């Protein structure tokens, strides 16, 4: 599904990613953990195609195709989805209109007709029920004045609408209350299949109790310095990152 | 001969050709003198610092079109808001086109300025209102001197006009360059309500200069909603001088949508002559190439307990230039005034520019006045957010621009106008977005 080879990326001459290697196969769930500022969101943004970041070395392959030169929207059309750590407020565009545009633009890119209005409504109803989102919410301006938790739930609603192949969830758990965490995780699990994959970026083991990872990676200072199974997350929760830092510095 | 000389020297011929005994003869003669003294404004004048008429007035315009022209409805249908029933007052090259128009005298008058100026039954209205709100600046005076045709609308007391009134000025392109000076008068009596849409459209690339004056009188508790659609060709220029005189408890709004034209100058003036008046001035400007749009607004708060709301949004691409000069005067007597003004702009090219300047002159002490202007770029993080959802760059930009103008569009009361404006914006941005805001 996704293969990243020796990825180096920088922003404003500052090296942030310093040689990332990662392979995610269909059906897998990978968790990426690591201290603040280690480069997790940067990695997510680079995969999603944020132009601000410059890839100096290495490559990103999606289903064996190099996507380095693709624009963010083209990556989205190929099935990449990023749930933002900080979703952006867009006053004046309702959630519904935003989703309609996103879906129809994606269909257009694939040479499909626009989705008929009734089908669209049905889809919106179905997915908003899955995430227990109030209908009134959908006519509000996108993310404007949403609480932290509402923003995150809305991200996963968008994911449910777009049904991506590769979903990257950047700290989707932060800001969610316990019930919301369960609802959101349940939504993600419902969307999981053997054909798609999920990368979960998180600081806490708690989310991983719901969305159980096949692999856990530790990103530190722009590199993946340790990988393991789900038990690694427990170990980090218990011991923090100091022991890993020591291992590296030794 | 330059344009000024040409205009001044044709004045006599003009006066002789129409009725010299007209009640406005003296007004016209006075007006041409003012124009002769002052001439066209130049950049030396504070109010014209950022807008130069030089390249506009150097054309050899015909100031009186020679003949009447006919147009087929099907050829110009698209310039009407045609999916609603409406009264229509249509002019072609400054001349009234009866077969394209739908006027009325039933219960209220939706007809012609020429009729109002010449028929005895309108004499009183003309005496009371004609040239009573317009200022005596050079361009308005120039229009007054040649005032002969335009829309005349008189809505009588308590009348609620259900159909909007569309005023359309076409230029056919028959003249190689044409100057038009329409003169509109709108009088809305006590407690009456009317909605008006105005548009100027040239049908070829032959240069057109329109110097129009519209006087609007809102009597006690009258409600007037006025929409200006400015989406002309880039060879047409418009100087729009609009004067609104409001009496107590009246509500007037003017929405100006500026998407086209070479040079557009909106001199929009509100005078609040009464208490508890509400005035709304809103505008969306989206231009590119070398287009220029200048909003020069004035709200004069004369009496206490009134409000004014100004909200102008501008998006400027390529080498386009914009000006916003918003003047608010609050007289000493006008206590408890609420005056709001905001002007937000987005520059989508390095070469585009906007000059924005609020001018508050407040002489009362118990007032609430706020103003704010911003100039920015499109929000990059919002762009990435939308693109990461599969919305291509162009569409994402368009969506952000829609969203940006949404505040102004949301107060448009006629849904068909809102839809039309949304379509024009989409067209302008070269996108097809699958919904109306
Ligand atoms: N646009 C930018 N300009 C300058 N520095 C940046 C930019 N984006 C990221 N950085 C820097 O790169 C480093 C990695 O940031 P990143 O957001 O990827 O960290 P993170 O691992 O997601 O942290 P957190 O756990 O706090 O979310 C940080 O030091 C950050 O300040
Ligand atoms: Mg982060």
């Amino acid at each position: 599904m996704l293969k990243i080879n020796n990825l180096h990326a920088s922003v404003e001459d500052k090296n942030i990613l310093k040689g990332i290697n990662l392979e995610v196969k269909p059906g897998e769930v990978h968790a990426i953990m690591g201290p603040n500022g280690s480069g997790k969101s940067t990695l997510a943004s680079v995969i999603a195609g944020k132009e601000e970041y410059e890839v100096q070395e290495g490559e990103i392959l999606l289903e064996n195709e190099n996507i380095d030169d693709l624009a963010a929207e083209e990556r989205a059309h190929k099935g990449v989805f990023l749930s933002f750590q900080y979703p952006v407020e867009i006053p004046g565009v309702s959630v519904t209109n935003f989703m309609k545009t996103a879906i129809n633009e994606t269909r257009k890119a694939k040479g499909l007709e626009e989705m008929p209005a009734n089908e669209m409504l049905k889809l919106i109803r179905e997915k908003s029920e899955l995430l227990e989102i109030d209908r009134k919410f959908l006519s509000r301006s996108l993310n404007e004045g949403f609480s932290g938790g509402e923003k995150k739930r809305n991200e996963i609603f968008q994911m449910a609408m777009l049904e991506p192949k590769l979903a990257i969830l950047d700290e989707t758990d932060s800001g969610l209350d316990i019930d919301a965490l369960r609802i959101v995780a349940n939504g993600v699990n419902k969307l999981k299949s053997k054909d798609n994959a999920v990368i979960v970026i998180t600081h806490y083991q708690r989310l991983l109790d719901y969305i159980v990872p096949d692999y856990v990676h530790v990103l530190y200072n722009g590199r993946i310095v340790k990988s393991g199974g789900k038990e690694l997350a427990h170990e980090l929760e218990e011991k923090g990152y100091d022991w890993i830092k020591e291992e590296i510095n030794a | 001969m330059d344009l000024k000389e040409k205009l001044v020297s044709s004045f006599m011929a003009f006066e002789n050709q129409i009725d010299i005994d007209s009640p406005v003869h003296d007004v016209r003669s006075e007006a041409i003198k003012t124009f002769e003294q002052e001439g066209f404004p130049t950049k030396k004048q504070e109010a014209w610092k950022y807008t130069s008429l030089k390249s506009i007035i150097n054309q050899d315009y015909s100031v009186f079109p020679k003949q009447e022209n006919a147009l087929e409805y099907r050829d110009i249908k698209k310039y009407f808001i045609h999916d609603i029933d409406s009264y229509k007052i249509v002019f072609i090259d400054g001349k009234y086109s009866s077969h394209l128009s739908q006027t009325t005298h039933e219960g209220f008058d939706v007809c012609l300025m020429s009729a109002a100026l010449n028929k005895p039954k309108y004499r009183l209205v003309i005496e009371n209102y004609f040239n009573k709100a317009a200022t005596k600046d050079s361009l308005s005076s120039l229009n007054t001197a040649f005032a002969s045709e335009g829309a005349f609308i008189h809505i009588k007391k308590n009348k609620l006009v259900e159909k909007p009134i569309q005023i359309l000025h076409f230029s056919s392109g028959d003249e190689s360059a044409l100057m038009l000076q329409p003169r509109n008068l709108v009088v809305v009596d006590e407690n009456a309500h009317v909605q008006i849409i105005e548009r100027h459209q040239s049908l070829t690339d032959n240069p057109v200069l329109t110097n129009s004056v519209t006087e609007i009188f809102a009597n006690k508790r009258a409600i007037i909603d006025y929409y200006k659609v400015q989406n002309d060709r880039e060879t047409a220029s418009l100087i729009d001088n609009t004067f609104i005189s409001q009496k107590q408890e009246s509500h007037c709004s003017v929405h100006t949508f500026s998407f086209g034209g070479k040079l557009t100058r909106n001199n929009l003036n509100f005078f609040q002559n009464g208490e508890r008046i509400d005035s709304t001035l809103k505008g969306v400007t989206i231009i590119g190439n070398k287009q220029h749009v200048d909003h020069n607004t004035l709200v004069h708060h004369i009496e206490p307990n009134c409000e004014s709301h100004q909200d102008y949004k501008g998006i400027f691409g390529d080498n386009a230039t914009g000006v916003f000069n918003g003047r608010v005067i609050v007289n000493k007597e006008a206590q408890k005034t609420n005056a709001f003004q905001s002007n937000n702009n987005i520059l989508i090219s390095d070469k585009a520019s906007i000059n924005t300047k609020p001018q508050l002159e407040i002489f009362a002490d118990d007032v609430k006045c706020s103003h704010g202007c911003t100039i920015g770029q499109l929000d990059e993080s919002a762009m990435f957010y939308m693109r990461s959802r599969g919305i291509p760059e162009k569409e994402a930009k368009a969506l952000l621009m829609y969203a940006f103008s949404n505040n102004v569009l949301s107060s448009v009361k006629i849904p068909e106008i809102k839809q039309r404006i949304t379509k024009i914006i989409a067209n302008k941005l070269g996108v097809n977005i699958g919904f109306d805001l």
Side-chain angles (χ1 to χ4, degrees):
Chain A
M1 168 83 50
L2 177 74
K3 199 160 192 298
I4 297 175
N5 296 322
N6 190 32
L7 182 70
H8 290 252
S10 66
V11 61
E12 290 164 5
D13 294 328
K14 185 178 167 201
N15 294 329
I16 303 175
L17 303 182
K18 302 167 184 168
I20 302 268
N21 292 295
L22 180 68
E23 182 169 7
V24 179
K25 298 210 175 77
E28 289 180 351
V29 175
H30 288 239
I32 296 179
M33 305 181 80
N36 293 131
S38 59
K40 302 180 298 296
S41 295
T42 303
L43 175 62
S45 299
V46 172
I47 298 172
K50 191 167 186 171
E51 283 160 4
E52 214 180 323
Y53 297 100
E54 196 191 332
V55 173
Q56 295 138 311
E57 227 185 299
E59 56 179 7
I60 305 171
L61 306 173
L62 185 73
E63 299 189 303
N64 297 320
E65 185 197 350
N66 191 325
I67 59 168
D68 288 349
D69 292 332
L70 297 188
E73 60 268 27
E74 294 171 308
R75 300 182 194 205
H77 299 156
K78 291 192 179 298
V80 176
F81 178 88
L82 170 60
S83 168
F84 282 59
Q85 181 174 1
Y86 305 107
V88 183
E89 300 193 359
I90 305 188
V93 181
S94 71
V95 178
T96 305
N97 281 339
F98 182 67
M99 276 335 291
K100 279 185 193 167
T101 311
I103 287 193
N104 282 329
E105 289 299 336
T106 302
R107 291 175 66 99
K108 215 196 281 176
K110 290 179 179 165
L112 298 171
E113 290 282 303
E114 285 195 356
M115 185 180 280
N118 56 345
E119 217 176 290
M120 183 75 78
L121 281 178
K122 206 173 131 232
L123 186 68
I124 291 175
R125 194 175 313 128
E126 186 188 312
K127 301 300 185 185
S128 57
E129 275 166 18
L130 173 69
L131 287 147
E132 298 179 27
I133 288 175
D134 193 332
R135 297 280 288 286
K136 271 185 269 161
F137 213 77
L138 301 175
S139 52
R140 280 176 58 181
S141 275
L142 185 60
N143 292 325
E144 192 185 30
F146 287 18
S147 75
E150 287 167 345
K151 283 182 182 166
K152 296 305 172 72
R153 194 189 292 219
N154 187 252
E155 291 291 285
I156 303 306
F157 165 69
Q158 294 181 36
M159 171 185 166
M161 291 289 293
L162 293 164
E163 299 193 337
K165 275 186 204 149
L166 174 70
I168 306 165
L169 312 184
D170 191 356
E171 297 198 24
T172 301
D173 50 341
S174 69
L176 291 178
D177 67 43
I178 296 163
D179 292 335
L181 182 73
R182 196 175 28 75
I183 293 162
V184 163
N186 178 42
V188 174
N189 286 333
K190 282 246 170 70
L191 298 165
K192 273 292 315 104
S193 79
K194 62 176 183 16
D195 301 317
N196 58 26
V198 183
I199 298 175
V200 204
I201 296 171
T202 181
H203 287 293
Y204 306 105
Q205 160 58 34
R206 202 180 55 172
L207 176 68
L208 303 180
D209 287 338
Y210 294 103
I211 306 173
V212 183
D214 301 295
Y215 299 94
V216 175
H217 309 278
V218 178
L219 188 68
Y220 175 60
N221 200 8
R223 288 192 192 88
I224 290 179
V225 294
K226 199 170 188 68
S227 297
K230 59 174 184 262
E231 62 293 341
L232 178 56
H234 286 283
E235 207 174 343
L236 292 170
E237 181 99 349
E238 237 168 73
K239 301 201 277 187
Y241 292 109
D242 281 351
W243 63 282
I244 294 187
K245 292 180 191 170
E246 276 162 28
E247 259 182 38
I248 299 163
N249 296 333
Chain B
M1 192 163 34
D2 75 7
L3 186 57
K4 181 185 163 187
E5 287 167 32
K6 186 173 184 172
L7 284 159
V8 170
S9 64
S10 35
F11 178 71
M12 278 318 290
F14 167 78
E15 272 289 76
N16 286 332
Q17 171 201 322
I18 60 174
D19 183 10
I20 198 107
D21 298 327
S22 154
V24 298
H25 171 69
D26 291 345
V27 179
R28 284 196 192 112
S29 308
E30 202 56 41
I32 195 72
K33 271 186 223 147
T34 305
F35 174 70
E36 195 173 358
Q37 272 161 23
E38 294 182 20
F40 285 102
T42 67
K43 289 180 92 170
K44 289 200 194 88
Q45 282 153 264
E46 189 59 29
W48 291 85
K49 201 167 158 190
Y50 301 109
T51 296
S52 169
L53 294 178
K54 231 183 187 162
S55 68
I56 305 299
I57 57 176
N58 66 5
Q59 302 277 350
D60 187 21
Y61 296 106
S62 308
V63 292
F64 304 118
K66 287 175 235 28
Q67 65 202 37
E68 297 201 10
N69 273 298
L71 293 170
E72 289 302 320
Y73 179 65
R74 63 168 187 278
D75 296 332
I76 52 167
K77 184 175 172 220
K78 64 177 176 186
Y79 301 113
F80 292 89
I81 311 279
H82 51 71
D83 36 10
I84 42 171
D85 203 8
S86 68
Y87 297 105
K88 300 177 187 75
I89 314 174
V90 180
F91 304 93
I92 301 167
D93 300 336
K95 298 258 194 299
Y96 176 60
S97 165
S98 62
H99 86 282
L100 293 173
S101 300
Q102 193 196 336
T103 58
T104 185
H105 293 289
E106 277 167 44
F108 47 92
D109 296 306
V110 175
C111 61
L112 299 181
M113 193 65 181
S114 53
L117 287 173
N118 295 319
K119 290 191 182 158
K121 70 167 172 169
Y122 297 113
R123 200 158 189 135
L124 199 60
V125 184
I126 293 297
E127 264 175 34
N128 286 339
Y129 294 103
F130 181 82
N131 213 36
K132 292 293 191 286
T135 53
K136 311 296 177 273
D137 63 285
S138 69
L139 290 171
S140 302
S141 298
L142 174 61
N143 177 288
T144 301
F146 290 95
S148 58
E149 193 56 294
F152 173 74
I153 296 168
H154 185 189
I155 312 299
K156 314 277 163 60
K157 190 173 169 179
N158 294 334
K159 201 83 210 170
L160 193 158
V161 183
E162 288 180 11
K163 297 194 271 182
I165 301 166
Q166 303 197 56
I167 307 171
L168 278 108
H169 298 273
F170 291 103
S171 44
S172 68
D174 264 24
E175 306 282 340
S176 59
L178 178 65
M179 180 168 182
L180 293 171
Q181 302 213 63
R183 177 74 174 218
N184 306 311
L185 177 61
V186 178
V187 178
V188 182
D189 288 345
E190 193 176 326
N191 220 16
H193 180 189
V194 68
Q195 297 175 309
I196 299 169
I197 304 157
E198 178 190 339
R199 185 163 183 168
H200 302 261
Q201 185 64 45
S202 81
L203 301 171
T204 70
D205 282 338
N206 287 352
V208 175
L209 169 60
T210 302
N211 176 43
S212 96
V213 168
T214 304
E215 292 183 284
I216 299 172
F217 296 86
N219 285 305
K220 205 167 140 188
R221 283 198 296 279
I223 303 175
I224 304 175
D225 296 308
Y226 206 107
Y227 302 95
K228 292 173 184 283
V229 181
Q230 302 174 340
N231 191 27
D232 213 340
R233 287 166 182 259
E234 286 177 40
T235 45
S237 294
L238 171 66
I239 301 164
D240 177 316
N241 307 283
T242 297
F243 305 91
I244 302 182
S245 171
Q246 289 186 253
K247 288 270 171 62
Q248 70 184 74
E249 289 162 62
S250 62
H251 286 231
C252 289
S253 72
V254 174
H255 287 74
T256 308
F257 299 102
S258 314
F259 305 129
K262 177 184 168 80
L263 179 150
T264 307
R265 162 82 171 210
N266 288 296
N267 293 317
L268 179 56
N269 305 276
F270 277 75
F271 306 99
Q272 296 186 332
N273 298 304
E275 292 200 34
R276 292 179 299 282
I277 287 170
D278 196 287
S279 308
T280 300
L281 303 75
K282 294 199 177 196
V284 179
T285 303
I286 304 179
I287 52 171
N289 297 337
K290 284 189 170 164
Q291 292 177 290
H292 179 87
V293 171
D294 178 349
H295 289 289
N296 185 63
T297 68
L298 166 70
V299 179
H300 194 159
H301 289 271
I302 299 163
E303 303 221 19
N305 298 310
C306 295
E307 297 197 5
S308 66
H309 305 266
Q310 295 193 56
D311 188 357
Y312 283 83
K313 312 269 188 203
I315 300 172
F316 304 88
D318 306 323
N319 293 288
T321 48
V323 182
F324 177 79
N325 192 353
R327 192 164 163 221
V328 176
I329 307 174
V330 181
N331 279 15
K332 206 169 108 212
E333 297 73 24
Q335 299 294 359
K336 306 265 184 223
T337 290
N338 282 335
F340 305 103
Q341 181 184 89
S342 97
N343 173 232
N344 308 107
N345 303 286
I346 293 180
L347 301 178
I348 51 173
S349 131
D350 315 335
K351 297 199 200 87
S353 69
I354 166 86
N355 278 294
T356 168
K357 188 173 89 181
Q359 235 178 304
L360 306 184
E361 295 160 36
I362 300 168
F363 303 103
D365 43 35
D366 185 13
V367 299
K368 255 193 243 159
C369 290
S370 72
H371 68 91
C373 52
T374 59
I375 302 172
Q377 272 83 37
L378 281 182
D379 180 355
E380 280 302 321
S381 56
M383 282 296 292
F384 175 58
Y385 187 73
M386 298 205 270
R387 294 176 71 183
S388 79
R389 299 298 183 250
I391 303 173
E393 188 176 10
K394 198 167 151 195
E395 279 73 14
K397 264 189 192 158
L399 202 51
L400 277 188
M401 293 188 212
Y402 270 121
F404 178 72
S405 4
N406 198 21
N407 256 0
V408 172
L409 289 176
S410 64
S411 58
V412 172
K413 289 184 198 143
I414 306 174
E416 288 80 4
I417 294 188
K418 203 188 288 187
Q419 269 161 31
R420 173 60 72 90
I421 297 298
T422 308
K423 256 190 207 136
I424 296 177
I425 295 178
N427 225 328
K428 181 93 192 161
L429 302 171
V431 294
N432 178 14
I433 284 186
F435 61 86
D436 297 323
L437 284 173

